[in-house]
Amino acid sequence: TQPSTQPSTQSPTQPSTQPSTQPSTQPSTQSPTQPSTQPSTQPSTQPSTQPLTQLSTQLQEEKEGTNQIEGNQQVSDFFDLVKQIMHSNIGSTEDTSEFQNLEENTIFHNILSDNESENKKKNKSNLQSKSSKDEYYATILNEALVIFELLIPSKQELLRKESLVKTIQSVLSTKWPNSSPKLHLFGSSGNGLCLQGADIDLCLTVNDVRDMQQKRKKIRLLGNLLREVFKSKIQILAHARVPIVKFVDPKYKFACDICINNRLGIENTQLVLTYVKIDERILQLCLLVKLWAKKRKINIPFEGTLSSYGYVLMVINFLQLIDNPIAPNLQHLKLSIKQITQLYGEEEATDFKNYLANNRKKINFGWKYINVENCDCSHFHYEVKNLYKIYGAKNKKTIGQLLFEFFEFYSLHFDFQNLVCSIRSGHPISQHEADLSSNNSNMKIEDPFETTYNVARVVSLLGFKLITKEFKRGYLLLKKNNSLEKLFYDCL
């Protein structure tokens, strides 16, 4: 039988928390600019209970300032997952009575997984070391865990957002039944990388919009409908490059952006979500880098700096090319029968062998095959956390080491002038290998699906200088064993 290329609806098999002794048969394509990544083990440590002063105070104030929500089991599970990944213990006293009657099948379902004991086991195995630099990395890890506790959305916030989205979906289904309207979480709202207090980004898919003129007409109708429902100010940007409706929910004061039929954006969101589910360190490093860029004010595209999505792609590309990669290349991952047996069991491997023997059309195990707007969006998708056994389990580095090496790589080793970040390739590629529509940009980051599109196209010369200056600053601060608070706030 052909293995499903769609997300499994059953509870996925939990990966072993012990490092695999079987070597991966996947070839590792290394960039000539690859950073030094000798494995090192870390001392056992617990999350620090001593908060960082300025940073933790500000994050706590921001968190308390976000009026929050409650209810539904699946969203509660999502919040528990985020807590597990971040090793925090927050949210246990929050009142969720307001949302007791919400349906269990929620829009956050795809982000669920993992069991707390397994995450703890994996991290204990990653925390054994002796040197002073290793002790510094352990300190950075402790500081990071405090930040994560303040950074992630509360259960109340997630559930209020859930309630708002369900309200909008109900209105659209009632008013536009012939359009088959469906709301999708979009960007950081859907890829597991949202920060507390973040806007809600949604994409509405409908079956009666075929071109830009129809899209602009539909976005106006959507704005007028929301104005009628919420009795509040609605901003309709019908002539923007991506037509959009912007409004603030009058009940919970969440800012919300809705676009229409951005199907490539939905697939990009799902790809990043798939990556962050493989290993908690991918999610952790993405969140730390996003917060760093935000606090250093270098994540504002309309001011000529890079979008948060661009930084996320840089993190994933870095984690793909280090020795013992933590992030595999999901767009080229082809598991052998031996690996399928190791990761998913003998029955899955036998079924796949039988399928290949009886079908002319050859497929890759575990892949989701999809083409959107003439772009191949296919990638490995099946129970990806099992990949930890042949990827993350071999790399014992903590988030402290990885953060330092991330800054070291992009400040000292990466040639911004001639190289392109490419998670599709699994390593940086030369300008000549890339198919970007413009090679004259100051930074070059290839979109994983729309390969002619440069995610960093808006970065100005001044913005580029600011970004590279901040990378060098971050490297020097961490090299001198400075705290994360200095990384985010202080000047050299």
Side-chain angles (χ1 to χ4, degrees):
T1 58
Q2 178 177 345
S4 169
T5 57
Q6 299 302 320
S8 172
T9 56
Q10 297 180 352
S11 176
T13 304
Q14 296 295 331
S16 166
T17 57
Q18 299 302 319
S20 169
T21 57
Q22 178 172 340
S24 168
T25 60
Q26 293 298 312
S28 176
T29 306
Q30 301 297 334
S31 164
T33 56
Q34 178 178 339
S36 171
T37 54
Q38 292 302 314
S40 147
T41 52
Q42 300 305 313
S44 178
T45 182
Q46 296 295 323
S48 169
T49 56
Q50 183 64 37
L52 306 171
T53 54
Q54 180 181 356
L55 180 60
S56 63
T57 299
Q58 179 178 347
L59 291 175
Q60 185 63 50
E61 288 173 353
E62 291 174 358
K63 196 176 189 80
E64 291 172 353
T66 305
N67 289 336
Q68 335 232 344
I69 14 189
E70 302 115 80
N72 156 334
Q73 185 58 47
Q74 294 293 351
V75 178
S76 299
D77 289 345
F78 166 66
F79 180 69
D80 290 340
L81 168 64
V82 177
K83 288 196 296 180
Q84 291 160 18
I85 289 175
M86 300 308 180
H87 311 279
S88 69
N89 298 303
I90 60 176
S92 58
T93 61
E94 292 181 297
D95 177 20
T96 59
S97 58
E98 179 184 349
F99 292 83
Q100 288 295 319
N101 297 322
L102 285 180
E103 299 174 17
E104 289 193 3
N105 184 21
T106 81
I107 56 177
F108 291 106
H109 176 73
N110 284 336
I111 313 180
L112 315 181
S113 68
D114 296 318
N115 134 354
E116 185 171 7
S117 62
E118 288 185 325
N119 279 329
K120 287 180 179 177
K121 287 178 185 177
K122 282 194 282 188
N123 278 284
K124 283 182 181 178
S125 71
N126 287 346
L127 294 173
Q128 305 160 358
S129 131
K130 320 254 173 182
S131 74
S132 59
K133 193 66 179 180
D134 291 335
E135 291 175 1
Y136 167 64
Y137 290 144
T139 300
I140 290 294
L141 172 61
N142 283 341
E143 291 181 349
L145 298 181
V146 174
I147 291 171
F148 293 146
E149 183 172 335
L150 299 168
L151 200 60
I152 62 174
S154 72
K155 184 194 303 188
Q156 288 180 321
E157 179 179 338
L158 289 174
L159 290 164
R160 282 185 176 159
K161 288 180 175 179
E162 176 74 16
S163 176
L164 173 60
V165 174
K166 283 182 173 292
T167 298
I168 300 171
Q169 178 66 64
S170 177
V171 169
L172 293 172
S173 297
T174 302
K175 297 289 188 179
W176 295 348
N178 295 332
S179 298
S180 301
K182 184 176 180 181
L183 286 171
H184 304 261
L185 289 168
F186 180 69
S188 63
S189 297
N191 64 23
L193 296 174
C194 58
L195 307 181
Q196 54 87 15
D199 296 354
I200 307 173
D201 295 314
L202 297 169
C203 178
L204 171 66
T205 55
V206 289
N207 61 13
D208 54 359
V209 168
R210 298 285 182 270
D211 55 35
M212 183 58 75
Q213 184 177 355
Q214 291 176 343
K215 186 178 288 189
R216 286 172 175 155
K217 180 179 179 181
K218 199 74 171 182
I219 209 78
R220 291 189 189 96
L221 292 173
L222 175 62
N224 291 334
L225 178 60
L226 294 175
R227 187 178 289 125
E228 178 184 333
V229 171
F230 291 106
K231 311 296 183 187
S232 62
K233 182 179 179 181
I234 306 292
Q235 189 177 9
I236 304 171
L237 304 176
H239 288 280
R241 189 181 69 85
V242 178
I244 198 169
V245 165
K246 302 171 73 72
F247 70 100
V248 176
D249 164 41
K251 184 174 183 180
Y252 297 121
K253 310 304 179 187
F254 292 123
C256 185
D257 296 348
I258 307 179
C259 62
I260 290 180
N261 283 4
N262 186 351
R263 299 181 191 276
L264 272 174
I266 294 172
E267 292 305 320
N268 273 310
T269 299
Q270 288 301 307
L271 180 65
V272 173
L273 171 60
T274 306
Y275 271 110
V276 302
K277 289 171 72 174
I278 296 170
D279 189 305
E280 66 264 29
R281 289 170 294 179
I282 301 175
L283 185 146
Q284 290 174 338
L285 189 57
C286 285
L287 284 177
L288 277 181
V289 171
K290 279 187 64 174
L291 182 62
W292 162 76
K294 177 182 178 181
K295 296 303 180 185
R296 302 306 299 171
K297 295 181 172 53
I298 52 171
N299 69 334
I300 311 171
F302 68 84
E303 292 184 359
T305 52
L306 186 63
S307 66
S308 293
Y309 178 55
Y311 288 109
V312 168
L313 294 181
M314 293 178 76
V315 170
I316 294 173
N317 210 191
F318 164 74
L319 294 175
Q320 287 176 324
L321 63 91
I322 59 177
D323 289 337
N324 295 318
I326 292 174
N329 182 351
L330 294 178
Q331 291 173 269
H332 286 274
L333 181 62
K334 298 176 182 178
L335 297 179
S336 67
I337 295 297
K338 186 176 181 180
Q339 289 175 316
I340 296 169
T341 304
Q342 176 190 355
L343 299 179
Y344 300 96
E346 190 170 337
E347 184 177 351
E348 290 269 23
T350 301
D351 285 348
F352 185 63
K353 280 174 66 177
N354 291 337
Y355 170 81
L356 292 179
N358 296 310
N359 291 270
R360 291 184 178 180
K361 183 179 180 181
K362 303 304 180 185
I363 64 169
N364 298 319
F365 176 86
W367 274 53
K368 167 186 177 181
Y369 289 92
I370 184 170
N371 189 285
V372 176
E373 299 174 14
N374 297 319
C375 296
D376 183 6
C377 300
S378 304
H379 61 276
F380 190 93
H381 187 71
Y382 181 60
E383 297 187 9
V384 291
K385 63 178 177 289
N386 289 23
L387 297 176
Y388 175 81
K389 295 178 186 178
I390 58 174
Y391 285 96
K394 294 181 178 183
N395 191 310
K396 308 302 178 187
K397 293 182 178 178
T398 66
I399 194 64
Q401 285 173 286
L402 294 171
L403 183 66
F404 172 74
E405 290 174 5
F406 172 80
F407 280 105
E408 180 183 41
F409 176 63
Y410 283 111
S411 63
L412 299 183
H413 303 293
F414 188 78
D415 182 359
F416 284 98
Q417 187 71 28
N418 297 306
L419 291 178
V420 179
C421 280
S422 172
I423 70 169
R424 174 188 59 87
S425 300
H427 56 84
I429 59 178
S430 71
Q431 286 192 63
H432 304 295
E433 293 177 83
D435 190 30
L436 298 179
S437 56
S438 172
N439 275 329
N440 298 322
S441 304
N442 296 294
M443 287 182 70
K444 303 164 192 71
I445 302 175
E446 178 190 71
D447 184 272
F449 298 139
E450 191 179 3
T451 56
T452 60
Y453 181 71
N454 180 9
V455 174
R457 74 202 181 285
V458 299
V459 175
S460 65
L461 180 58
L462 176 60
F464 172 70
K465 289 180 178 179
L466 288 172
I467 291 168
T468 52
K469 178 182 176 182
E470 288 296 335
F471 271 116
K472 289 175 182 175
R473 172 188 173 276
Y475 164 68
L476 291 173
L477 283 172
L478 294 178
K479 184 180 179 182
K480 296 176 182 177
N481 293 6
N482 282 287
S483 68
L484 290 182
E485 186 164 4
K486 284 187 177 292
L487 177 68
F488 292 139
Y489 285 106
D490 292 351
C491 297
L492 282 174

